[in-house]
Each structure stands twice: as C-alpha cells, then as structure tokens.
C-alpha cells in the first residue's frame, strides 16, 4: 500500500474531476433550458445526466470516482401552445427541453459542495505532508 496521504490526494483529485464534469453538465442544462428545435415540430435540447462509478487505482490500492456515463434524460418534453413560434408544429405546440430549473439548481449546489469538500481534503493533505517534511527536517 502506498502513503495514506498520497492516497487521500488521489481520491480527492478524482472527486474534483468528477464534480467538475458534473458542474459542466448542469451548466449546459441551464444554458439550454429555454431552447427549442430549429424547425417546426423538431425536438429541443434533451437534459443531460451524469452517472458516477468507482474504480480501483491499482498503484495506490484505493477506490476513486469517475464519470461512468453522460446520458440523456428520457422524460417527456414540456409543450406549450404558441402558434406564432417558429418551432411550433401544425397544432401550434412548441416543445421545450425537459430541464427543471429547480432540480438543476439543487444539482449545482450539491456538486459545488462536493467539489469544495474534495478541495478541502487536498488542502489538508498538502498541509499534513508539509508538516511531516518539516518534522523530518528538524529531526
């Protein structure tokens, strides 16, 4: 087994990377929440989802997190009657993305907190490594 502090850094770094990707996906969802299809009756932006998985890092022997898949939410699109809209179908219905702003904001807050927690682990581990080096230097 490798150094526990190095292992903690590896785990936290994988968490930072995963949450960074999650924040990017949430941002894409929010940015496209009101976009419609380009032509009449076409489908709009479909909400993206992120799935995580654990992965054994053989060099350190610790489990890290990774993005398993960036998928698409298969729930129905929201429809609104607006016959003057360029994306309206023959019945005057316009399809809007299946993005719920409340859900996205909650996901963003959770991802942000997870990112901050992993960043704190990195800071603490670096501090402990520095203290260990100082102790060894002064021995």
């Amino acid at each position: 087994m490798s150094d526990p502090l190095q292992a903690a850094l590896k785990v936290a770094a994988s968490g930072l990377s995963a949450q960074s990707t999650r924040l990017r996906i949430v941002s894409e969802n929010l940015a496209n929440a009101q976009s419609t299809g380009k032509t009449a009756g076409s489908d709009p932006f479909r909400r993206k989802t992120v799935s995580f998985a654990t992965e054994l890092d053989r060099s350190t022997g610790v489990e890290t997190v990774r993005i398993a898949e960036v998928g698409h939410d298969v729930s129905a699109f929201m429809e609104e009657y607006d016959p003057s809209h360029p994306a309206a179908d023959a019945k005057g219905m316009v399809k809007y993305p299946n993005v719920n702003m409340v859900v996205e904001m909650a996901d963003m807050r959770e991802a942000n907190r997870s990112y901050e927690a992993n960043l704190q682990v990195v800071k603490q581990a670096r501090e402990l490594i520095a203290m260990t080096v100082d102790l060894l230097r002064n021995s």
Side-chain angles (χ1 to χ4, degrees), residues 21-53:
T21 301
R22 183 178 177 196
L23 281 167
R24 182 181 55 81
I25 296 301
V26 169
S27 297
E28 287 179 22
N29 289 343
L30 288 170
N32 290 293
Q34 294 299 313
S35 61
T36 59
K38 295 185 190 310
T39 60
S42 64
D43 285 344
F45 173 82
R46 186 169 287 279
R47 178 179 181 263
K48 293 181 180 181
T49 60
V50 178
S51 299
F52 298 106

Short mmCIF file of all heavy atoms in Angstrom, two decimals, residues 21-53:
data_model
loop_
_atom_site.label_atom_id
_atom_site.label_comp_id
_atom_site.label_asym_id
_atom_site.label_seq_id
_atom_site.Cartn_x
_atom_site.Cartn_y
_atom_site.Cartn_z
N THR A 21 -16.89 17.89 -13.92
CA THR A 21 -17.67 17.45 -15.08
C THR A 21 -19.16 17.59 -14.80
O THR A 21 -19.92 18.05 -15.65
CB THR A 21 -17.34 15.99 -15.43
OG1 THR A 21 -15.94 15.90 -15.72
CG2 THR A 21 -18.15 15.50 -16.61
N ARG A 22 -19.57 17.23 -13.60
CA ARG A 22 -20.98 17.36 -13.22
C ARG A 22 -21.44 18.81 -13.29
O ARG A 22 -22.52 19.11 -13.81
CB ARG A 22 -21.18 16.80 -11.82
CG ARG A 22 -22.60 16.82 -11.34
CD ARG A 22 -22.68 16.20 -9.97
NE ARG A 22 -24.03 16.26 -9.44
CZ ARG A 22 -24.32 16.08 -8.18
NH1 ARG A 22 -23.36 15.82 -7.31
NH2 ARG A 22 -25.56 16.15 -7.76
N LEU A 23 -20.62 19.73 -12.81
CA LEU A 23 -20.96 21.16 -12.88
C LEU A 23 -21.07 21.63 -14.33
O LEU A 23 -21.93 22.44 -14.67
CB LEU A 23 -19.91 21.99 -12.14
CG LEU A 23 -20.05 22.02 -10.62
CD1 LEU A 23 -18.80 22.60 -9.97
CD2 LEU A 23 -21.28 22.79 -10.20
N ARG A 24 -20.20 21.13 -15.19
CA ARG A 24 -20.26 21.49 -16.61
C ARG A 24 -21.57 21.02 -17.23
O ARG A 24 -22.23 21.76 -17.97
CB ARG A 24 -19.07 20.92 -17.37
CG ARG A 24 -19.04 21.31 -18.85
CD ARG A 24 -17.87 20.70 -19.59
NE ARG A 24 -17.78 19.26 -19.48
CZ ARG A 24 -18.49 18.39 -20.20
NH1 ARG A 24 -19.38 18.83 -21.07
NH2 ARG A 24 -18.34 17.10 -20.04
N ILE A 25 -21.98 19.81 -16.92
CA ILE A 25 -23.22 19.25 -17.47
C ILE A 25 -24.44 20.04 -16.96
O ILE A 25 -25.34 20.37 -17.72
CB ILE A 25 -23.35 17.74 -17.12
CG1 ILE A 25 -22.24 16.94 -17.80
CG2 ILE A 25 -24.73 17.22 -17.51
CD1 ILE A 25 -22.19 17.04 -19.30
N VAL A 26 -24.44 20.36 -15.67
CA VAL A 26 -25.54 21.16 -15.11
C VAL A 26 -25.59 22.52 -15.80
O VAL A 26 -26.67 23.03 -16.14
CB VAL A 26 -25.40 21.31 -13.58
CG1 VAL A 26 -26.36 22.35 -13.03
CG2 VAL A 26 -25.65 19.97 -12.89
N SER A 27 -24.42 23.12 -16.03
CA SER A 27 -24.37 24.41 -16.72
C SER A 27 -24.93 24.33 -18.13
O SER A 27 -25.65 25.23 -18.58
CB SER A 27 -22.93 24.92 -16.78
OG SER A 27 -22.44 25.14 -15.49
N GLU A 28 -24.62 23.25 -18.83
CA GLU A 28 -25.18 23.05 -20.18
C GLU A 28 -26.69 22.95 -20.11
O GLU A 28 -27.40 23.52 -20.95
CB GLU A 28 -24.59 21.79 -20.82
CG GLU A 28 -23.16 21.92 -21.26
CD GLU A 28 -22.61 20.64 -21.86
OE1 GLU A 28 -23.41 19.78 -22.33
OE2 GLU A 28 -21.38 20.47 -21.85
N ASN A 29 -27.19 22.20 -19.13
CA ASN A 29 -28.64 22.06 -18.98
C ASN A 29 -29.30 23.40 -18.73
O ASN A 29 -30.33 23.73 -19.34
CB ASN A 29 -28.97 21.09 -17.85
CG ASN A 29 -28.64 19.65 -18.18
OD1 ASN A 29 -28.46 19.29 -19.34
ND2 ASN A 29 -28.54 18.82 -17.16
N LEU A 30 -28.72 24.19 -17.82
CA LEU A 30 -29.29 25.50 -17.51
C LEU A 30 -29.23 26.45 -18.71
O LEU A 30 -30.17 27.19 -18.98
CB LEU A 30 -28.56 26.13 -16.32
CG LEU A 30 -28.84 25.49 -14.96
CD1 LEU A 30 -27.88 26.02 -13.91
CD2 LEU A 30 -30.29 25.72 -14.55
N ALA A 31 -28.13 26.40 -19.43
CA ALA A 31 -27.97 27.29 -20.59
C ALA A 31 -28.97 26.97 -21.70
O ALA A 31 -29.36 27.86 -22.46
CB ALA A 31 -26.55 27.19 -21.13
N ASN A 32 -29.39 25.72 -21.79
CA ASN A 32 -30.30 25.30 -22.85
C ASN A 32 -31.74 25.10 -22.38
O ASN A 32 -32.55 24.53 -23.11
CB ASN A 32 -29.78 24.02 -23.49
CG ASN A 32 -28.53 24.24 -24.29
OD1 ASN A 32 -28.57 24.91 -25.32
ND2 ASN A 32 -27.41 23.72 -23.82
N ALA A 33 -32.07 25.56 -21.19
CA ALA A 33 -33.38 25.30 -20.60
C ALA A 33 -34.54 25.87 -21.40
O ALA A 33 -35.65 25.36 -21.34
CB ALA A 33 -33.43 25.84 -19.17
N GLN A 34 -34.31 26.91 -22.18
CA GLN A 34 -35.39 27.53 -22.96
C GLN A 34 -35.21 27.36 -24.47
O GLN A 34 -35.97 27.94 -25.24
CB GLN A 34 -35.49 29.02 -22.61
CG GLN A 34 -35.93 29.28 -21.18
CD GLN A 34 -37.32 28.71 -20.90
OE1 GLN A 34 -38.25 28.91 -21.67
NE2 GLN A 34 -37.44 28.01 -19.79
N SER A 35 -34.23 26.58 -24.87
CA SER A 35 -34.01 26.41 -26.31
C SER A 35 -35.07 25.49 -26.91
O SER A 35 -35.58 24.59 -26.26
CB SER A 35 -32.61 25.86 -26.57
OG SER A 35 -32.46 24.59 -25.97
N THR A 36 -35.40 25.75 -28.14
CA THR A 36 -36.38 24.92 -28.85
C THR A 36 -35.71 24.32 -30.07
O THR A 36 -34.57 24.63 -30.39
CB THR A 36 -37.58 25.77 -29.31
OG1 THR A 36 -37.10 26.80 -30.17
CG2 THR A 36 -38.30 26.39 -28.12
N GLY A 37 -36.45 23.47 -30.76
CA GLY A 37 -35.93 22.90 -32.00
C GLY A 37 -35.76 23.98 -33.06
O GLY A 37 -36.35 25.05 -32.98
N LYS A 38 -34.93 23.71 -34.04
CA LYS A 38 -34.66 24.70 -35.09
C LYS A 38 -35.78 24.78 -36.13
O LYS A 38 -35.98 25.81 -36.76
CB LYS A 38 -33.33 24.37 -35.78
CG LYS A 38 -32.14 24.50 -34.85
CD LYS A 38 -30.85 24.30 -35.61
CE LYS A 38 -29.64 24.16 -34.79
NZ LYS A 38 -29.34 25.08 -33.78
N THR A 39 -36.49 23.68 -36.30
CA THR A 39 -37.57 23.66 -37.29
C THR A 39 -38.88 23.29 -36.61
O THR A 39 -38.89 22.78 -35.49
CB THR A 39 -37.26 22.64 -38.41
OG1 THR A 39 -37.13 21.34 -37.81
CG2 THR A 39 -35.98 22.99 -39.15
N ALA A 40 -39.96 23.53 -37.31
CA ALA A 40 -41.29 23.24 -36.77
C ALA A 40 -41.43 21.78 -36.37
O ALA A 40 -41.13 20.89 -37.16
CB ALA A 40 -42.35 23.61 -37.80
N GLY A 41 -41.84 21.56 -35.11
CA GLY A 41 -42.08 20.20 -34.63
C GLY A 41 -40.84 19.43 -34.23
O GLY A 41 -40.95 18.30 -33.77
N SER A 42 -39.65 19.99 -34.39
CA SER A 42 -38.43 19.25 -34.05
C SER A 42 -38.21 19.22 -32.54
O SER A 42 -38.74 20.05 -31.80
CB SER A 42 -37.22 19.85 -34.76
OG SER A 42 -36.99 21.17 -34.31
N ASP A 43 -37.43 18.25 -32.11
CA ASP A 43 -37.16 18.10 -30.69
C ASP A 43 -36.14 19.14 -30.22
O ASP A 43 -35.17 19.44 -30.91
CB ASP A 43 -36.61 16.70 -30.39
CG ASP A 43 -37.69 15.63 -30.45
OD1 ASP A 43 -38.88 16.00 -30.41
OD2 ASP A 43 -37.34 14.44 -30.53
N PRO A 44 -36.35 19.65 -29.01
CA PRO A 44 -35.41 20.62 -28.43
C PRO A 44 -34.25 19.90 -27.75
O PRO A 44 -34.12 18.67 -27.83
CB PRO A 44 -36.27 21.36 -27.41
CG PRO A 44 -37.23 20.32 -26.93
CD PRO A 44 -37.52 19.46 -28.16
N PHE A 45 -33.45 20.65 -27.04
CA PHE A 45 -32.35 20.11 -26.24
C PHE A 45 -32.91 19.10 -25.25
O PHE A 45 -33.97 19.32 -24.66
CB PHE A 45 -31.67 21.27 -25.48
CG PHE A 45 -30.63 20.85 -24.49
CD1 PHE A 45 -29.34 20.56 -24.92
CD2 PHE A 45 -30.93 20.74 -23.14
CE1 PHE A 45 -28.37 20.19 -24.00
CE2 PHE A 45 -29.96 20.36 -22.23
CZ PHE A 45 -28.68 20.08 -22.66
N ARG A 46 -32.21 18.00 -25.07
CA ARG A 46 -32.62 16.98 -24.09
C ARG A 46 -31.66 17.07 -22.90
O ARG A 46 -30.46 17.08 -23.07
CB ARG A 46 -32.58 15.58 -24.71
CG ARG A 46 -33.14 14.52 -23.78
CD ARG A 46 -33.35 13.20 -24.48
NE ARG A 46 -34.48 13.18 -25.40
CZ ARG A 46 -35.75 13.02 -25.03
NH1 ARG A 46 -36.07 12.88 -23.78
NH2 ARG A 46 -36.70 13.00 -25.93
N ARG A 47 -32.22 17.13 -21.71
CA ARG A 47 -31.44 17.24 -20.47
C ARG A 47 -30.40 16.13 -20.38
O ARG A 47 -30.69 14.98 -20.65
CB ARG A 47 -32.37 17.17 -19.26
CG ARG A 47 -31.66 17.22 -17.95
CD ARG A 47 -32.67 17.18 -16.80
NE ARG A 47 -31.98 17.25 -15.54
CZ ARG A 47 -31.66 16.20 -14.79
NH1 ARG A 47 -32.01 14.98 -15.16
NH2 ARG A 47 -31.01 16.37 -13.65
N LYS A 48 -29.18 16.50 -19.99
CA LYS A 48 -28.11 15.53 -19.81
C LYS A 48 -28.02 15.12 -18.34
O LYS A 48 -28.33 15.91 -17.45
CB LYS A 48 -26.77 16.13 -20.24
CG LYS A 48 -26.68 16.38 -21.73
CD LYS A 48 -25.31 16.95 -22.09
CE LYS A 48 -25.21 17.22 -23.57
NZ LYS A 48 -23.88 17.74 -23.93
N THR A 49 -27.61 13.88 -18.12
CA THR A 49 -27.44 13.35 -16.78
C THR A 49 -26.03 12.79 -16.63
O THR A 49 -25.38 12.46 -17.63
CB THR A 49 -28.45 12.23 -16.47
OG1 THR A 49 -28.26 11.18 -17.43
CG2 THR A 49 -29.88 12.74 -16.53
N VAL A 50 -25.56 12.69 -15.40
CA VAL A 50 -24.22 12.17 -15.12
C VAL A 50 -24.35 10.98 -14.18
O VAL A 50 -25.07 11.04 -13.19
CB VAL A 50 -23.34 13.25 -14.45
CG1 VAL A 50 -21.97 12.70 -14.12
CG2 VAL A 50 -23.21 14.46 -15.34
N SER A 51 -23.63 9.91 -14.52
CA SER A 51 -23.58 8.73 -13.65
C SER A 51 -22.14 8.53 -13.20
O SER A 51 -21.22 8.62 -14.01
CB SER A 51 -24.05 7.48 -14.40
OG SER A 51 -25.37 7.63 -14.84
N PHE A 52 -21.97 8.24 -11.92
CA PHE A 52 -20.65 8.01 -11.35
C PHE A 52 -20.40 6.52 -11.16
O PHE A 52 -21.34 5.74 -11.05
CB PHE A 52 -20.51 8.69 -9.99
CG PHE A 52 -20.65 10.18 -10.05
CD1 PHE A 52 -21.80 10.80 -9.59
CD2 PHE A 52 -19.65 10.97 -10.55
CE1 PHE A 52 -21.94 12.17 -9.62
CE2 PHE A 52 -19.77 12.35 -10.59
CZ PHE A 52 -20.91 12.95 -10.13
N ALA A 53 -19.12 6.14 -11.09
CA ALA A 53 -18.73 4.77 -10.79
C ALA A 53 -17.44 4.82 -10.00
O ALA A 53 -16.68 5.79 -10.09
CB ALA A 53 -18.53 3.97 -12.08
#
